[in-house]
Amino acid sequence: MADKKKDVAKLFKDGREIDEAMRQAVREAVRTHHLLGRSVVTWRDGKVVRVPPGACEH
């Protein structure tokens, strides 16, 4: 975080910084799974789906 503390209520109300942090975390998790040769489990069309390494964009 920057030098100054952020107003948590303001962050939640706006949501953009939280959304971006989540996108970055997901990208990093998918990338790590790919590098380790592990599948990623996700939710697709109302079902849990296992996506093999290399089949995800990272």
Side-chain angles (χ1 to χ4, degrees):
M1 202 165 7
D3 293 346
K4 59 184 177 181
K5 290 189 177 193
K6 299 197 179 209
D7 180 353
V8 174
K10 187 177 177 181
L11 286 172
F12 274 98
K13 185 175 181 178
D14 178 31
R16 289 179 288 184
E17 286 187 62
I18 294 170
D19 292 345
E20 182 56 29
M22 290 297 294
R23 279 190 286 278
Q24 288 177 7
V26 169
R27 274 195 302 270
E28 185 61 28
V30 170
R31 180 179 174 276
T32 299
H33 276 71
H34 173 76
L35 292 173
L36 295 173
R38 295 183 179 161
S39 297
V40 174
V41 178
T42 189
W43 187 262
R44 227 183 249 165
D45 299 324
K47 298 177 185 173
V48 176
V49 178
R50 185 178 306 264
V51 182
C56 293
E57 293 183 23
H58 57 280

